Amino acid sequence: MTATRSGIPDLPGVPAFRRRLRAALFARVAGPDGPANRSRIHETPGPRWFPEDSPIRTVHGDASMFVGGLRALLLQSLHPLAMAAVAGHSGYRGDPWGRLQRTSTFLAVTTFGPAEDAQRAVDHVRDVHRRVRGTAGTGQPYAASDPHLLRWVHAAEADSFLRAHRYYGARLLTEAECDGYVADAARVAAALGVPDPPHDRNELAATLEAYAPELHASEEALDAARFILLKPPLPLVARPPYGVLAAGAVALLPPWARSELHLPYLPRLERAVVRPAGDSLIRAIRWAMTPPAAWRTFTASRHPSCSSLPDTAPPQHESQAFSWVLVARSSSSIRDPSGCTPSPGRTTHRQGGGPRRVALHPAAAPLR
């Protein structure tokens, strides 16, 4: 028996298992058009919206997006009008994998694809949004093209992706790169019609907090959470690993959001079990999806003391996009245990309740 440069034993059958796992993950998340889309995204010459070393490519090119995407869905659902639009028009129950595949392709194209394709993808989404209108159960009208709702969806998504990368990314971003990620994401948001999207972490925190009085869990949000967390359309063999990803997503939600969605808050269990399990699973996904030669380069280039660096415990009040599968790449650098997010929070009032301390940004309390 030999060992690869990554330290993983080269056991008989492991390469074949890795290929099957990679193919299964890719087919599920990228869909039947995945191979063609991947070739077009990466092999078509021409300018891109973002350079190769941009923060958005680091974040969207990492397996932590599996957790970030689930967290984004849960957080976004807490705006009743946004959730009403999703429940009434997205088809997330009837065709959840198709919705996932369309979202993953959109993120891959806008992050890594040719500029012309990125603009074409944005134009298509805006055209779809213009046709999505209705009335929520409360009698309030909604429109998917409403700039106010678009801004909420974007802020919750950027917050979730950045936070998931903070905990599970192969390489954590520096503080400047974290701000750079928010600025990069704003480029796509503005193209989608988001007015004045946040361009750094402080603006992102302020944007999220401004929505606090509007947020609560509608019956549609509770139903969506049950579907996402308890009734995923997966075979039984896939449900345990999916449960680990879902638990990781819930652990990154602030306590008030969990309370609204009737989800538990168990910080000790999360520190002792959820985060280590999530980290191990994300590493396994990264290993499966990264071609062997690239994986050997990645592991060989990591800082030798990386595994011994101190890490921070998850804050006790703690990012639908899986473009990573279309990218199949990984970053290599030293893990920065200090994190990259400020600590906003304020007291506000919500509809139907008293004052509460809100902390919507992913690092609402100091990391320690």
Side-chain angles (χ1 to χ4, degrees):
M1 180 180 69
T2 62
T4 66
R5 289 174 60 186
S6 66
I8 298 176
D10 192 11
L11 297 171
V14 169
F17 169 76
R18 188 178 190 177
R19 286 193 298 271
R20 289 195 301 270
L21 181 57
R22 183 186 309 126
L25 284 169
F26 186 85
R28 177 66 74 176
V29 178
D33 296 328
N37 287 333
R38 182 167 58 185
S39 295
R40 181 174 180 83
I41 288 167
H42 297 289
E43 297 174 11
T44 302
R48 264 67 176 166
W49 279 2
F50 306 103
E52 290 190 8
D53 61 349
S54 59
I56 196 170
R57 287 196 171 202
T58 299
V59 174
H60 291 182
D62 189 79
S64 60
M65 291 287 281
F66 281 93
V67 173
L70 290 172
R71 200 259 194 182
L73 289 172
L74 294 169
L75 186 58
Q76 289 167 341
S77 76
L78 290 172
H79 196 295
L81 296 184
M83 186 61 235
V86 169
H89 300 271
S90 77
Y92 78 91
R93 277 186 171 276
D95 184 24
W97 293 113
R99 185 172 187 266
L100 170 63
Q101 290 155 11
R102 290 188 293 273
T103 301
S104 69
T105 300
F106 174 83
L107 281 156
V109 170
T110 53
T111 305
F112 301 95
E116 289 186 1
D117 287 357
Q119 186 61 54
R120 191 177 300 113
V122 164
D123 292 342
H124 174 72
V125 170
R126 295 192 71 165
D127 184 59
V128 171
H129 283 173
R130 281 190 285 269
R131 300 194 298 268
V132 175
R133 295 177 175 273
T135 303
T138 59
Q140 295 173 280
Y142 63 78
S145 58
D146 179 355
H148 185 69
L149 293 183
L150 287 173
R151 201 163 193 259
W152 161 250
V153 170
H154 165 69
E157 181 179 274
D159 180 70
S160 295
F161 293 168
L162 187 58
R163 187 46 160 178
H165 195 272
R166 159 69 186 88
Y167 278 95
Y168 297 110
R171 177 183 73 83
L172 292 186
L173 305 178
T174 65
E175 292 190 7
E177 287 174 322
C178 284
D179 284 336
Y181 171 76
V182 180
D184 286 346
R187 165 73 173 84
V188 181
L192 285 168
V194 176
D196 190 25
H199 284 77
D200 60 35
R201 290 164 294 149
N202 287 327
E203 291 183 5
L204 177 61
T207 299
L208 289 165
E209 290 191 52
Y211 282 88
E214 305 174 36
L215 305 178
H216 66 274
S218 62
E219 285 301 319
E220 291 166 322
L222 294 174
D223 188 52
R226 285 190 291 268
F227 180 78
I228 292 169
L229 300 175
L230 302 178
K231 301 176 181 179
L234 289 168
L236 290 178
V237 69
R239 292 197 176 190
Y242 178 87
V244 172
L245 297 175
V250 170
L252 295 183
L253 289 170
W256 71 265
R258 302 192 213 185
S259 178
E260 289 282 355
L261 293 170
H262 302 172
L263 300 173
Y265 174 55
L266 304 168
R268 292 184 179 179
L269 180 65
E270 288 162 9
R271 289 195 298 271
V273 178
V274 173
R275 184 169 179 204
D279 189 58
S280 296
L281 181 59
I282 292 297
R283 288 173 182 269
I285 293 172
R286 190 178 292 123
W287 168 79
M289 294 304 302
T290 306
W295 177 260
R296 287 193 294 271
T297 301
F298 164 63
T299 53
S301 66
R302 293 193 65 144
H303 192 284
S305 64
C306 188
S307 61
S308 62
L309 284 172
D311 206 337
T312 54
Q316 295 189 10
H317 63 296
E318 309 267 80
S319 65
Q320 351 273 353
F322 298 87
S323 62
W324 187 85
V325 175
L326 283 169
V327 181
R329 61 180 290 186
S330 191
S331 304
S332 59
S333 185
I334 189 169
R335 179 178 291 269
D336 176 6
S338 64
C340 62
T341 45
S343 306
R346 64 180 176 85
T347 299
T348 186
H349 289 75
R350 64 185 176 92
Q351 298 172 343
R356 66 180 178 187
R357 178 78 171 173
V358 298
L360 286 168
H361 195 269
L367 296 174
R368 61 182 185 274

